[in-house]
Amino acid sequence: MKPSARVIPAIFVILWATGFIGARYAMPWAEPFTFLWIRFGLTFCILLAIIPIIRAKSIGARNAMHAVIAGVLMHAVYLGGVFWSVRHGLPAGLVGLIVGLQPMLTAIMAFFFLGERMTGRHWIGLLVGLAGVGIVLSPKFGAIGGGVTAATVSAATLGVIAMSAGTVWQKRFVAHADLITVTLFQYAGGSLATFGVAMLFENGDITFNGELLFALAWLVFVLSLGAILLLMILIREGEVARVASLFYLVPGVTALLAWLLFGETLNVVQLAGMAITTFGVALATGRAKSQASPATSRASR
């Protein structure tokens, strides 16, 4: 196994988990879609500036359109739905549990639309991972209250479905195009979509202060550039169902970060849940010894 096969997933999970910490800093000071279109727009401008320097390859109009669609799903609808539901009172524990459905949804979509096959061991791993996520988040369920409405639950659920669909779309149509150029068009789609929603339904309220600027810089450089590019590499190199199972590890890592940064409770039950989740992910991402090389994408066939 190449060293990168071990290192990249670990780095991705850690970086992705910090996104929820960044959102905690940002959301008190900005409306969700206003914040997101600024974040995506800044990322687009940075990528546009570095493309000539690194001589990223053109991907053609057809691939560009597919990348825009993937960006709308993975960035605008997913993050927009999650941020909006949190902003309107959906408790973090319930949001985390809904987001935890993503690997299962992705595996099902990959089966139908990419022809990816999962063994019984991998399905068991997904179920064990989901159970572990529930255990990690269980202490937060007591906070469930008036923010649980049809609108907030639907927004978070729609976001998770969109993330799964966007991951499959990326693998199906543009997995082998230049990663930087693909990401540029993803953020073009994400920025335009969130800008439209912000103009239609928000007042543009935003307070620029130290916390918001820190969150914006972190989410742009660490998440929108670093973590997303790692995700694109993982999607290109592996089966999307196995890649998606890494998201099971995010709630546990987020809980550890919240414990370190904000002094939130981290108890034995949550630690046990992290161990169960890690075991489930190991089952879901492992390969049989007879498999000599990663599965190739069915998209190119």
Side-chain angles (χ1 to χ4, degrees), residues 93-105 108 122-138 141 160 244-249 251 273-274 276-281 284:
L94 189 52
V95 172
L97 192 60
I98 294 172
V99 170
L101 297 174
Q102 192 240 325
M104 293 294 295
L105 291 174
I108 293 169
H122 295 130
W123 285 111
I124 292 171
L126 287 171
L127 292 172
V128 170
L130 181 60
V133 170
I135 294 171
V136 171
L137 297 172
S138 60
F141 292 156
V160 172
S245 67
L246 294 173
F247 285 88
Y248 278 152
L249 298 173
M274 292 178 196
I276 292 171
T277 301
T278 303
F279 175 67
V281 171

Side-chain angles (χ1 to χ4, degrees), residues 42-53 180 184:
L42 285 174
T43 307
F44 174 85
C45 291
I46 293 169
L47 289 171
L48 191 64
I50 68 174
I51 277 179
I53 299 173
I180 301 297
L184 173 76

